[in-house]
Amino acid sequence: MSCTIIVGGFFGDEGKGKIVAHIAHQDHPTVISRGGVGPNAGHTVLVGKKEYGVRMVPSGFVYPKADLCIGPGVLVDPRVFLREVAEVEVSGRIFIDGRCGVIEEEHIARDKGSEHLAKTIGSTGSGCGPANSDRVLRVARQAKDLPELAPYIIDVAEKVNQAIDNGEPVLLEGTQGFGISLYYGTYPFVTSKDTSASQIAADNGVGPTKIDDVIVVFKAFPTRVGEGPFSTEMSLDKSHALGIQEFGTVTHRERRIGTWDGKMARYSAMINGCTQVAITGIDRVDPTCFGATSYDQLSQTAKDFIRQVEVDVGQPVTIISTGPELSQIIDLRKKR
Ligand code: IMP
Ligand code: MG
């Protein structure tokens, strides 16, 4: 039984949500707790035929047996949170730490109204930057100050640590991606907080000695939304010709597409303390791999790609996503 962190290795939108959902169904965590910035994150989760875009509820919600938490480091937008709680099946098992910083309407207005944030950086306009800045200035409200959040407030750090100490499996869900970390990303074209595994642990009040595994999720073809450097970016014409086109969950902006960046993957894995790699979008490397559920079904092209990832990163690829549905996945964790 263990505590596992799942983080994005490139610029976000690597498909962490699906990896979390898969691992949850396999490993039966009692608690899935979210770290990361706040509602600037968007996880698209496909459950059967229905698609959900969650921004506050942990993407592990599709696994019905886990309690879901939002760690104290995360910003909460009460409007977004309450809307999602009404939409998805989480009542009675979702909790917010009372210390979470609160996003006010005014933060959203400041985010959208700032030339620097909205235009130069290309922020999501969700108020996260201004809210984190108010938190650092110690003028932000906390979740425990809002009566409408009272039914959800607990000490998340206490709950998560208790589960770990009881030997129960726990998942800590990261958001965003390494390349937009405030500390390690392409500053100033970054989000308003670190996004690495250590931050996700800190966001939940879990000390480094209690983390057993860090799964870094990489997209075969990385993407980036918003402004900033992207060394392996290709033209949109080229990505469209390859049949790749994506839009952001939060802002619906078209995502910029690039090719595999081994150098970035290696650096990202180092800072994240990666122990295992998950690869998403292998069907874009070779469309014949779409929907594969075992390693043997992969083509030589796909196997060569995975081997290259392992050489670049220096850690084993243990999970390979082969399509959008939960069942379209290869899990090599038990065999290794
Ligand atoms: P902010 O986090 O809204 O301030 O946006 C700052 C930068 O981070 C912009 O380039 C956003 O597009 C990017 N960003 C923030 N959150 C995410 C995410 O969850 N996925 C991908 N990009 C993100
Ligand atoms: Mg996303």
Side-chain angles (χ1 to χ4, degrees):
M1 298 298 105
S2 64
C3 182
T4 302
I5 297 181
I6 296 162
V7 285
F10 285 139
F11 297 97
D13 309 305
E14 295 89 354
K16 295 176 288 295
K18 173 177 165 179
I19 302 299
V20 168
H22 167 77
I23 293 176
H25 282 92
Q26 295 299 309
D27 298 5
H28 311 293
T30 55
V31 181
I32 302 175
S33 194
R34 226 200 91 165
V37 184
N40 52 350
H43 281 303
T44 310
V45 189
L46 200 63
V47 188
K49 291 267 174 289
K50 202 164 156 48
E51 196 173 275
Y52 297 92
V54 290
R55 293 168 54 194
M56 291 275 23
V57 169
S59 53
F61 80 88
V62 292
Y63 174 66
K65 291 188 187 140
D67 282 344
L68 307 167
C69 300
I70 299 178
V74 180
L75 294 167
V76 170
D77 182 327
R79 295 156 292 270
V80 177
F81 174 80
L82 293 170
R83 194 183 330 127
E84 289 180 7
V85 165
E87 270 167 21
V88 298
E89 283 297 311
V90 291
S91 71
R93 63 179 181 113
I94 187 151
F95 307 99
I96 301 176
D97 193 281
R99 294 161 286 196
C100 289
V102 169
I103 298 181
E104 317 280 351
E105 297 275 15
E106 179 240 334
H107 292 131
I108 298 173
R110 262 158 69 192
D111 199 349
K112 289 182 174 161
S114 153
E115 175 87 14
H116 177 67
L117 291 177
K119 301 258 162 51
T120 309
I121 308 299
S123 82
T124 60
S126 52
C128 291
N132 264 338
S133 109
D134 274 0
R135 201 175 184 187
V136 171
L137 294 173
R138 282 143 290 170
V139 293
R141 290 197 293 171
Q142 291 181 294
K144 64 172 157 38
D145 303 327
L146 273 54
E148 70 267 36
L149 295 181
Y152 306 98
I153 301 297
I154 63 162
D155 183 329
V156 166
E158 181 97 50
K159 181 176 174 74
V160 170
N161 278 283
Q162 261 172 20
I164 295 171
D165 294 346
N166 286 343
E168 297 164 19
V170 169
L171 284 186
L172 302 182
E173 195 179 300
T175 59
Q176 284 82 33
F178 180 75
I180 58 171
S181 160
L182 179 63
Y183 296 170
Y184 302 105
T186 54
Y187 187 91
F189 304 100
V190 293
T191 187
S192 51
K193 215 169 83 179
D194 179 28
T195 56
S196 70
S198 307
Q199 179 70 63
I200 302 307
D203 283 345
N204 287 289
V206 179
T209 52
K210 291 193 174 175
I211 307 302
D212 302 282
D213 259 312
V214 176
I215 300 182
V216 182
V217 186
F218 292 107
K219 260 176 151 163
F221 286 89
T223 61
R224 175 162 200 165
V225 279
E227 303 306 315
F230 187 2
S231 59
T232 64
E233 184 173 15
M234 64 176 97
S235 69
L236 281 180
D237 284 347
K238 195 163 175 211
S239 55
H240 292 172
L242 285 170
I244 307 176
Q245 188 174 28
E246 293 185 22
F247 295 90
T249 308
V250 179
T251 56
H252 309 291
R253 289 178 291 186
E254 183 160 8
R255 291 180 186 152
R256 301 155 63 191
I257 315 277
T259 51
W260 174 255
D261 186 343
K263 199 166 158 237
M264 180 176 179
R266 186 172 196 88
Y267 197 80
S268 165
M270 175 179 79
I271 305 285
N272 279 305
C274 173
T275 60
Q276 299 180 45
V277 173
I279 290 290
T280 58
I282 196 75
D283 50 305
R284 287 175 171 174
V285 173
D286 184 347
T288 66
C289 302
F290 183 79
T293 51
S294 81
Y295 185 77
D296 304 337
Q297 292 170 339
L298 295 179
S299 66
Q300 196 54 49
T301 307
K303 286 177 180 166
D304 290 347
F305 178 83
I306 287 170
R307 184 65 205 129
Q308 185 59 46
V309 170
E310 293 187 326
V311 169
D312 289 340
V313 173
Q315 292 294 333
V317 172
T318 55
I319 298 178
I320 305 160
S321 174
T322 61
E325 278 174 37
L326 200 50
S327 60
Q328 295 174 316
I329 203 158
I330 302 168
D331 190 338
L332 303 167
R333 289 181 300 154
K334 303 218 166 61
K335 294 187 196 123
R336 301 231 185 187

